[in-house]
Amino acid sequence: MTQPLVEIRNLSRIFRRDSVEVVALKDINLDIPEGDFLALMGPSGSGKTTLLNIIAGLDKPTSGVVRVGGIEVQRMNEDELAEWRNHHVGFVFQTFNLIPVLTAFENVELPLLLTGLSGQERREHVLTALKLVGLADRVDHYPRQLSGGQEQRVAIARAIVTDPTIILADEPTGNLDARSAEEILTLLQQLNEQLHKTIILVTHDPRAAHYAKHERHLEKGVLLPPGVTYTVEERA
Amino acid sequence: MSYSGFVWRNGTRNKRRAILTMLSVALALFVLSTLVTFVKEIDRNLEETNPLRLITRHAVSLTNPLPVRYRARIESIPGVVAVTPLTWFGGIYIDEAHTDFMQFACDAKTLFDVYPEIALPPEQKEAFIKDRTGVIVGRRKAEKHGWKLGDKITLKGAIYPVDLELTLRGIFAGTPNQEAAIYFHREYLDEFPGWWQGTVGTFWIRVDAADSVPRVIEAIDAQFRNSDAPTRTETERAFNMGFVSMLGNLKGLVAAISSVIIFTILLVTANTMAMSVRERIREIAVLKSLGFRRRQVVGLLISEGMAITLTGGLIGCLGARLIWTSIDLAAFSQGFFQQLEVSWRIISLGGLVAALVGLLSTVIPAYHAARLTVAEGLRHVG
Ligand SMILES: Nc1ncnc2c1ncn2[C@@H]1O[C@H](COP(=O)(O)OP(=O)(O)OP(=O)(O)O)[C@@H](O)[C@H]1O
Ligand SMILES: [Mg+2]
């Protein structure tokens, strides 16, 4: 069996504020193979975002190990992490987080400014990414001139423009209406099936299960075994 | 999109705030560059003075006249090479707006002995000496007023209740300050009956060597100490400085005002930049999640602050240059102040000060914002 792309071993994250301790993640073990599309589900406060942030190197675990592509994420220093993220991680947020003063094109171009690509090469990459998300005709629009669904598609284009190893999406449909949400989920599915991108999707959305290959649930910082869903009352 | 394009777009995203900040920096640098230029101009005036030239005036005040007969006694003092009387006329040419030069009644025969730098063609000098109503003017003023040799120039007296009808006999060349005065015969003024007959305002003296200066000063003032009109003699530099000192400790004042101005714009921009950074904590986290390094984020924010203050600073300095060169300062000051040109050196310096203000005002908020982890930044609301 080949090595999984993401290996999580005995991962815990405890937040300490003043004298209060919050155990956000408790002894998580998880393998995610390359090419997987995993839906990570769970009630609010169960630790989904925290787990995603640690995988992306945006936050450090209190204990345990995260390896992505064989590299121990928490071992890297700030600068190494920044470069690693630029090359290997595409992040999609619930609130889109586009830069309001930049056009769709420029927002997607942003991560490429850190690479050695020429202006012409950057342009080609950006247009390819925007075409992929179906926004080739919106390149010069500013975020405020786009619908929520379109904004999120620009954000996805920004996440894939550097051709990352893994795409991490934190409730990308949370701020969208049902139709736009389905479009986004379909788009992620295409990226997974056609471009073989590994995707971790954090969501509350039960529809997500129809799009992802696997589904895992978190509850109060504990990763439930495969097939076990979190308790229904909290889901309502 | 270029890096600098990104900086500019970010810096000007809140248009009103960016413009107000630029304007306050511009205004501050306008005042700053003007003050520095003013001090420089005064310094330059003092540097143009001749260390071998002395001025004798009434001990009480410049407005008290001296008897013209003092001249012979000054001439007889050892070390004195030449003496020439000069009386400030202070009249009006056409109107105040046209009066952009000072007027002196002089002794044409000895004027050039004391003022060798008044460069006049020999035939014009001769024509001037021969004509009782003759007048000589500086080249720049002749050009400005369209005067040609032989033209009549009429001065209306303000201190002296007489009108002088002068004839242009010579046009001399010199520095702008030297060319800011015109000279006519004191004998002509003396023809009009009045209290001024037989008096002069000042005597201008050339001495033979720098060593003689203190001794000659002492000797002249000793001569007249017990007369009705005691004198005060000083070097040309000290004499000019006397005018400057009317403004008090100018340099100290300018330095104090300048520091207050710089400190104020520092506070204003620091406040603006802190606000602008605080509003973008999330965005900064997003940049870092895309792979921007901490130092790149700090660089981006500092460049933003510097772009705004540098733009404002250059607008202020260039504005000062434009305004002071397009205003006729000479006419405004009746010839006392010839120019106030904000030099390119001062403009570059002003730009540097403005950029530095941008740097200092952004470095702390930028550093704090960049230090937050991405996770913390993303959780930030607002
Ligand atoms: N920086 C922090 N300081 C203190 N506590 C934190 C911090 N970040 C997260 N937590 C806590 O850790 C727990 C897990 O938070 P997390 O954001 O991962 O939940 P989540 O599953 O993403 O929830 P949601 O669905 O609401 O986004 C919560 O109890 C939260 O309050
Ligand atoms: Mg979350």
Side-chain angles (χ1 to χ4, degrees), chain A residues 105 108 121-136 139 157 160-161 195:
Chain A
F105 182 96
V108 177
E121 290 168 314
R122 293 204 301 263
R123 193 174 170 75
E124 280 164 20
H125 281 78
V126 171
L127 291 178
T128 305
L130 280 170
K131 207 174 287 168
L132 212 65
V133 300
L135 283 179
V139 287
I160 60 175
V161 74
L195 300 177

Side-chain angles (χ1 to χ4, degrees), chain A residues 48-49 170-171 202:
Chain A
K48 307 182 294 294
T49 297
D170 192 354
E171 304 196 36
V202 159

Side-chain angles (χ1 to χ4, degrees), chain A residues 15 17 22 24 43-50 171 204, chain B residues 379:
Chain A
F15 290 105
R17 182 157 294 167
V22 178
S44 186
S46 58
K48 307 182 294 294
T49 297
T50 305
E171 304 196 36
H204 278 116
Chain B
R379 289 176 70 88

